[in-house]
Amino acid sequence: MTKAMFDKFKSASPYGNKLATGATPLEAVDIGVSIDGFKVGDQNYPINPTLTFTNQTAVDLPGGTEFQFDIPVSAPDNAKDQSGGGLSVIASGHTRADNIGGLDGTMHRVAFSLPTWKALPAGASYELDMVYYLPISGPANYTVRINGVEYAFKSEQPDLPLADLSSGTGEDNPADGGETQPGTVIQWQPGVSQVANGTTVLYNNKCFIAQNNPGVWESPTQSNWFWTEVTCP
């Protein structure tokens, strides 16, 4: 047995040591996050802590702002929330019902959004009552998408430059899902178009930014859970 283990480890490929599976944004913003409220005794399942996001920037975060973070695949890919944020898994690291042969990936990516009708003022907090079903470490790799631009959290990426949010847009970053530029607006086709969050589409002579992963039949007609109406470029 010892020799078999030695031979296996000797021929194994180098282990991964990346902190995140996705690309890191080029700028950061100062949003604090804390986790507490873990239940004890007979109330400790499902696991239901409160994640508090505090806007420590100097500007209000607009309604519809999307937050994302990673949780380990030690928990199944059915995380959700009980606070109306619509938290769901947007990229699963392991979907099989078993773990025979090991887990397929390392992280699930989850996301939720502020209500489209409610901004998060500077200095204010938003509480997310998260629910998951097996213990995890983390969460980690927080990002926030503000006006179509994705930013890291300053607490996790202190070496990144702080974004200037005073203009309402931040710097363009096309490689990282930045603000859609004129000429890149997509014509929405019901039943056909499949777009990523942050994409600007044109439909019935109006422009909308996608959020919360709209399906092909979620045609934009007004600002709602899936769309924020914007001025066309």
Side-chain angles (χ1 to χ4, degrees), residues 23-99:
T24 301
L26 300 182
E27 294 182 303
V29 292
D30 192 0
I31 296 177
V33 59
S34 61
I35 307 173
D36 57 19
F38 287 94
K39 307 298 190 298
V40 297
D42 293 339
Q43 296 180 326
N44 70 350
Y45 190 85
I47 304 169
N48 179 213
T50 298
L51 278 68
T52 302
F53 294 83
T54 301
N55 179 8
Q56 297 172 171
T57 71
V59 302
D60 295 354
L61 302 183
T65 294
E66 182 188 59
F67 295 80
Q68 296 186 14
F69 51 87
D70 288 339
I71 62 173
V73 294
S74 58
D77 61 347
N78 57 355
K80 59 183 181 179
D81 78 289
Q82 296 177 334
S83 47
L87 183 135
S88 63
V89 174
I90 59 173
S92 178
H94 183 85
T95 58
R96 291 184 289 121
D98 60 69
N99 60 4

Side-chain angles (χ1 to χ4, degrees), residues 64-67 80-88 110-116 126-130 212 225:
T65 294
E66 182 188 59
F67 295 80
K80 59 183 181 179
D81 78 289
Q82 296 177 334
S83 47
L87 183 135
S88 63
V110 303
F112 74 94
S113 296
L114 298 177
T116 57
Y126 178 86
E127 292 186 348
L128 180 79
D129 292 329
M130 187 176 174
N212 298 311
W225 178 250

Side-chain angles (χ1 to χ4, degrees), residues 185 200 206-209 228-233:
V185 177
T200 301
K206 295 181 179 180
C207 288
F208 301 84
I209 293 179
T228 297
E229 186 172 351
V230 296
T231 302
C232 291

Side-chain angles (χ1 to χ4, degrees), residues 155-231:
S155 57
E156 285 192 314
Q157 301 291 343
D159 295 330
L160 289 180
L162 279 178
D164 178 10
L165 301 180
S166 59
S167 64
T169 58
E171 294 185 2
D172 295 335
N173 183 10
D176 192 42
E179 186 182 38
T180 304
Q181 296 300 305
T184 61
V185 177
I186 294 175
Q187 178 66 51
W188 178 264
Q189 300 179 58
V192 176
S193 299
Q194 183 70 65
V195 298
N197 292 336
T199 301
T200 301
V201 303
L202 175 66
Y203 186 62
N204 289 341
N205 298 316
K206 295 181 179 180
C207 288
F208 301 84
I209 293 179
Q211 59 190 20
N212 298 311
N213 306 300
V216 296
W217 291 110
E218 301 290 348
S219 296
T221 57
Q222 61 184 1
S223 292
N224 55 33
W225 178 250
F226 294 108
W227 305 100
T228 297
E229 186 172 351
V230 296
T231 302

